[in-house]
Amino acid sequence: MKMPTDAQIDEPSWLTLSPRSGETLRAALERTLREAIRAGALREGVRLPSSRVLAESLGVSRGVVRDAYGQLEAQGFLVIRPRVAPVVATVPRPETPRRDSKPVAPVPRYDLTPTTPDVTLFPLNRWLSTAQQVARRASVVALDYGESRGERTLRAALADHLGRTRGVIAEPEQIVIVQGTAQAVDLLVRVLARRGASRVAVEDPSHTTNHKRIRAFGLEVAGQPVDANGIVVAGLDADAVLVTPAHQFPTGSVLSGERRRQLLAWAGESGGVIVEDDYDAEFRYDREPVRALQGIAPEQVVQLGTVSKTLVPALRLGWLVAPPDLVDEVEQTKLLLDIFSPTLDQRTLAEFLTRGHYDRHVRRARSIYRRRRDRLLAALHAHLPELPVEGVAAGVHFLLGLPPGVSDTAIADDANRSRITLTPLSDFRLTTADAGGLVIGYGRLHESSVEAATRALADVIRAHM
């Protein structure tokens, strides 16, 4: 039997005693408790009320309760010890059928997921100590409902940080704190839909979850091709466009200067909104990352950022920098959606930014990811020298090109069967293409596993070439 939990039923107001025809009070109580235990309403380890408390609550004699408890103990439903309240025992329950249940995926030998950071790098102790300091200093007001736009301290810290590191031009009033990039895109799509937008362009290939968010509000998703210079602006026809200019996902290209000028000209002529997802710009390994697009045209660009890649996804903290004519609508939408993001977490992140903890962590993580990338590139050159690696030295992923006619989906399926978590380029495309590839993530691939992982991956790929 499990040890008793902290859960204890002191006032069993949920329990009603309804004897059936010919049933005694004791039998009715015994049946009611047994059914509750079998159904899971009373879970194993829960302490039941004493016989005196339950008898008073139900308006029956204490002997009725004692007898019912005794019968349930004899049947194995309760554990009773002297001078201790009865405890629900471990009882097998019928399996509840699950609809569309998926088999649990085995733990991968090598995790090459391209969208995930190494969460073990998170400075947890530093975060916890900072959070404690923030909580101790917090006034009672900080524990009440917060600002929908976000804590002023965090918005001010972000305005300084983004200006210094990404060239973003924004006052704190232009920043809305959100639950990661996912909510930022959701808020923007809602606002655009209310304004009458009908078509949002996305890079093809790009994150499929954003495609789903756009379609969820009845807007059309228009795929715009991507090449080595980033998104192709020619032929762009939409009310808004979602781009990743600093490090395109998943191809790894960077939006060239000429394409930037074309994209800004498109926005100026059409009145379209540029949504810049700046998701991993902090991780550039060969040079300084290109300046944020927002810093060039703050009236035309909405800039999105998150700590999901730099810290951990579990914090669910991100930001949206919007032009003045858009930010109020975004804030009102945030208010209707979930009122505000967690106040104490926001204040902790503000402390991380202002005290330099965030910058120090990013520098450490950047050096680790760079070593992993360099080692993985060397291993791929040794084991698969004929396959090109595409994308700039940045982020936590790159694109491994495949010869024409080789199915990236089939390779990924075989790799996953071999417990190598891998995503094909095809999964991110809106339209079919002749060229396939494998989007290789190295965020969670420790240096000690690089050689073995590359050999295993090479075996799978060669079986298809």
Side-chain angles (χ1 to χ4, degrees):
M1 188 202 79
K2 285 175 60 177
M3 293 296 291
T5 67
D6 292 333
Q8 180 168 344
I9 303 175
D10 293 321
E11 297 183 9
S13 56
W14 59 272
L15 181 61
T16 57
L17 197 55
S18 303
R20 295 171 180 171
S21 177
E23 192 175 44
T24 65
L25 288 175
R26 184 201 60 74
L29 178 57
E30 176 190 334
R31 172 182 51 79
T32 302
L33 291 172
R34 183 171 55 246
E35 289 174 352
I37 293 171
R38 280 178 168 166
L42 292 177
R43 300 178 63 81
E44 61 181 289
V46 171
R47 292 185 185 275
L48 297 182
S50 68
S51 58
R52 179 185 58 79
V53 171
L54 186 55
E56 290 176 356
S57 175
L58 297 176
V60 299
S61 72
R62 192 173 179 183
V64 168
V65 178
R66 279 200 300 259
D67 287 348
Y69 278 173
Q71 286 296 319
L72 291 169
E73 180 190 28
Q75 297 165 19
F77 289 95
L78 296 180
V79 175
I80 299 177
R81 295 189 178 94
R83 296 182 298 279
V84 177
V87 175
V88 177
T90 302
V91 178
R93 298 189 181 93
E95 287 291 329
T96 302
R98 296 182 179 180
R99 294 181 180 178
D100 301 325
S101 59
K102 297 180 180 179
V104 178
V107 176
R109 287 188 298 159
Y110 308 112
D111 189 351
L112 304 181
T113 306
T115 55
T116 53
D118 186 347
V119 296
T120 66
L121 300 180
F122 179 54
L124 181 59
N125 290 336
R126 174 66 67 183
W127 180 269
L128 291 176
S129 63
T130 304
Q132 284 186 331
Q133 294 167 15
V134 165
R136 290 192 188 102
R137 293 199 308 265
S139 64
V140 175
V141 175
L143 304 179
D144 208 337
Y145 287 95
E147 297 182 60
S148 297
R149 198 164 298 206
E151 286 295 295
R152 171 76 190 194
T153 55
L154 177 55
R155 290 187 285 116
L158 279 171
D160 294 341
H161 173 78
L162 294 174
R164 172 173 54 85
T165 62
R166 302 295 298 122
V168 169
I169 300 172
E171 295 297 325
E173 288 72 23
Q174 291 176 247
I175 299 175
V176 178
I177 305 303
V178 294
Q179 316 284 60
T181 303
Q183 187 180 61
V185 173
D186 182 273
L187 293 174
L188 283 172
V189 173
R190 290 170 187 261
V191 170
L192 291 171
R194 282 202 302 270
R195 287 188 167 197
S198 60
R199 184 180 173 95
V200 176
V202 298
E203 299 165 327
D204 188 11
S206 59
H207 269 296
T208 55
T209 51
N210 284 332
H211 309 166
K212 295 175 183 176
R213 290 186 186 98
I214 295 167
R215 291 191 180 106
F217 294 95
L219 277 66
E220 178 187 354
V221 176
Q224 199 68 11
V226 172
D227 61 20
N229 293 311
I231 189 171
V232 176
V233 182
L236 179 58
D237 179 18
D239 300 294
V241 58
L242 178 58
V243 294
T244 51
H247 185 223
Q248 202 278 329
F249 185 88
T251 66
S253 63
V254 174
L255 191 64
S256 68
E258 178 60 26
R259 293 280 174 83
R260 284 174 165 241
R261 289 187 288 273
Q262 292 174 6
L263 188 59
L264 293 173
W266 167 83
E269 295 166 4
S270 68
V273 178
I274 300 171
V275 182
E276 175 184 26
D277 184 356
D278 211 29
Y279 71 101
D280 69 355
E282 293 92 342
F283 297 141
R284 183 72 191 256
Y285 309 120
D286 55 349
R287 66 189 70 176
E288 287 296 312
V290 295
R291 182 182 182 182
L293 205 57
Q294 192 274 354
I296 303 172
E299 301 300 317
Q300 297 172 306
V301 179
V302 178
Q303 199 251 14
L304 314 182
T306 178
V307 299
S308 292
K309 294 289 187 297
T310 51
L311 291 175
V312 282
L315 292 178
R316 305 313 304 140
L317 284 174
W319 55 88
L320 182 156
V321 182
D325 69 333
L326 194 64
V327 68
D328 288 343
E329 286 185 68
V330 172
E331 180 189 8
Q332 287 303 307
T333 305
K334 168 75 174 175
L335 172 64
L336 294 174
L337 196 60
D338 64 3
I339 307 180
F340 67 104
S341 296
T343 299
L344 296 180
D345 289 345
Q346 291 186 61
R347 294 190 176 196
T348 301
L349 179 57
E351 287 283 300
F352 249 54
L353 289 167
T354 56
R355 292 183 177 275
H357 303 325
Y358 184 85
D359 286 343
R360 282 189 290 274
H361 169 71
V362 168
R363 286 195 297 270
R364 174 175 174 262
R366 186 188 295 127
S367 67
I368 291 172
Y369 291 145
R370 178 173 186 170
R371 287 199 303 272
R372 292 178 184 179
R373 185 181 191 275
D374 291 346
R375 187 166 295 187
L376 182 55
L377 287 177
L380 285 170
H381 180 71
H383 295 284
L384 293 165
E386 67 274 29
L387 297 185
V389 173
E390 303 173 20
V392 297
V396 292
H397 81 276
F398 55 70
L399 179 62
L400 185 66
L402 294 172
V406 176
S407 171
D408 56 4
T409 302
I411 291 176
D413 288 343
D414 281 354
N416 280 291
R417 279 190 285 270
S418 298
R419 293 171 50 214
I420 305 171
T421 305
L422 193 63
T423 309
L425 179 62
S426 300
D427 279 7
F428 300 107
R429 289 195 183 280
L430 282 164
T431 56
T432 57
D434 295 334
L438 302 173
V439 189
I440 308 290
Y442 47 86
R444 297 187 177 182
L445 185 65
H446 193 272
E447 293 96 311
S448 62
S449 301
V450 166
E451 182 63 26
T454 307
R455 284 199 305 268
L457 178 61
D459 290 341
V460 173
I461 293 175
R462 290 201 181 283
H464 291 263
M465 292 174 58

